[in-house]
Amino acid sequence: MALPRIADRFSGAIQKTDQEQKITELQAEVERLRATQSPDLEIELQKLREQLQNQSGEVEIDLDLIDPNPNQPRQTITSESIQAKARLLKKHGQISSVILVLQENGRYMLLDGQLRTEGARVLGWKTIRAVVVPMPRDLTQSALITFLGFEDLNPLDKAEAVFKEVTKSTDLTIDEIFTLLGTVLKRIERDGNSKELTHLINVSTEKQQQGLEQLGVIDTEQSLLLALLELGLNPSSVKTNLMPMLFLPQDLKDAIRQRGLKGAHALALATLSAKVLDIKEEQATSERIAATNKVLNENLTVPETRELIKAIKDKYLKNKKSESKEVKAVIQKIKELSEDSLQGASHEQLQQLRTLLEQKLVALSKVLNA
C-alpha cells in the first residue's frame, strides 16, 4: 500500500495561506493508520519532523521558556511514564526534536514532545532540541493539536479530547450529543445504512456532507456526525467505545489514568453498579475497586474479567428471580379495583373475592417465608 506523504501535505497547509488544505483528510488517514497499527505511520511522522527541521532548523530552546499546551488531549501523564522517558533520554540522548510554536509573548507552546520535555526537566537539562514553527493561519490550533496529540492516548483522555472538539464545533452539550447521537445512529441502523456511514470516514468533507444528506441526516444531526467524521472517527464506534468513558465512575477513571486500566475492562467493570447489584452505592464501589485490583494485579483478559464480573453478580442476584408478568398483571388489576367498583358488586361477589384474597395471602406468606 502506498502511504500518502503526510509531511508534504502538512507542509503545504503551513505554507499556503491562500489555499485551504484538507486537514480533515489528513486526520482521517492518521486515525486509520493508527487503528490498523501501520508501521509506516511513524516513518511518515518522522518525515514531517525532518521537513520542519529543513524549513526552520533545529535550535536549542531554554526549557524555562516552554509552556504546556492548554488544549493538550493527553491529560494523563504519570510520574512513571516521565521517569521511563528520562531513563531513555539519559541512555540514548534526544533522538528526535520536539515541535514548538512561537507565541506573541516570545515564549513557546509545546505541540509535540510532552514526555520528552518533562523527562528532560527530570534530568536537569537546561535546554532541549526543538523545531520552531509559526502557527499556521489556515489551520485552527485545535486541528493541529488533534493531529499531533491522539497517539497513545488512553481511551478516557481520547474521549475527553474528542468531545471537547465536538462541543466546540457544534455548540452542543455532552448530554445533547449523547441523545442526538443515539437517535441518529439508531435510525441509520434501522434503515440498514450503517455501512454507508462507515464509508464516509475517509472521503472529503464535501462528499461526507453529500453522503449524510443521502442518508437523510440534516441540520444539527449532520453537524454532529460531520464533526466526528472530520476527526477520522466512526460515529458508531464513538457511541459504543468512547462516549461511555465520560460516564464511568470516578474509581474507574482513576484506574485508567493512574494504573493503565484498559477501556474494554473499564466498561465491563462499570456494570458492577449499585443499581445492577441492588446494593448501596458504597458497597458497589467497594466491590468494583476490589474487582479492578484483581483485574490489574492478575492481568486478566477481557473474557476473564467478564467471568469475574458474572461471579460477583451471581453472588448478589442468585436469590433474585425475574419479574412474573402474570403477577404484575394481577397487581395492576388490584390497583384498578376502586371502592366504587366494590360498591357496585353483589354481596356474593364480594364474599367470593374476600375468600380468594385470603387464600392467596396464605400462599403468599408461605412463599415469602420460604
Side-chain angles (χ1 to χ4, degrees), residues 163 166-174 176-177 180 220 224:
F163 287 103
V166 173
T167 54
K168 184 165 59 177
S169 62
T170 63
D171 290 327
L172 295 170
T173 67
I174 292 297
E176 288 171 336
I177 292 173
L180 199 62
T220 308
L224 173 57

Side-chain angles (χ1 to χ4, degrees), residues 80-97:
E80 290 82 1
S81 62
I82 295 173
Q83 291 292 340
K85 179 59 69 174
R87 287 193 294 271
L88 290 174
L89 289 172
K90 183 176 182 180
K91 182 177 181 180
H92 302 291
Q94 185 184 348
I95 297 174
S96 59
S97 57

Side-chain angles (χ1 to χ4, degrees), residues 43 69 75 79 150 163 219 223 231 238 249 262 269 288 342:
I43 296 175
N69 184 344
Q75 297 299 311
S79 58
F150 275 2
F163 287 103
D219 300 330
S223 298
L231 293 175
V238 168
K262 302 299 183 183
L269 289 164
R288 202 165 50 240
L342 294 174

Side-chain angles (χ1 to χ4, degrees), residues 25 28-29 32 185 188 192-212 214-215 225-226 228-230 232-237:
E25 294 180 6
E29 180 65 16
R32 186 183 65 77
L185 290 179
I188 290 174
N193 293 326
S194 296
K195 288 185 178 179
E196 285 72 10
L197 178 62
T198 302
H199 292 158
L200 297 178
I201 297 174
N202 294 321
V203 301
S204 67
T205 302
E206 182 180 356
K207 290 184 178 179
Q208 287 174 347
Q209 186 171 356
Q210 293 173 352
L212 290 175
Q214 291 174 359
L215 295 178
L225 294 192
L226 278 176
L228 296 173
L229 291 170
E230 287 175 356
L233 299 171
N234 184 331
S236 297
S237 178

Side-chain angles (χ1 to χ4, degrees), residues 281-295:
E281 190 64 47
E282 296 80 3
Q283 190 177 1
T285 301
S286 178
E287 284 286 359
R288 202 165 50 240
I289 290 174
T292 301
N293 289 335
K294 184 176 180 65
V295 168

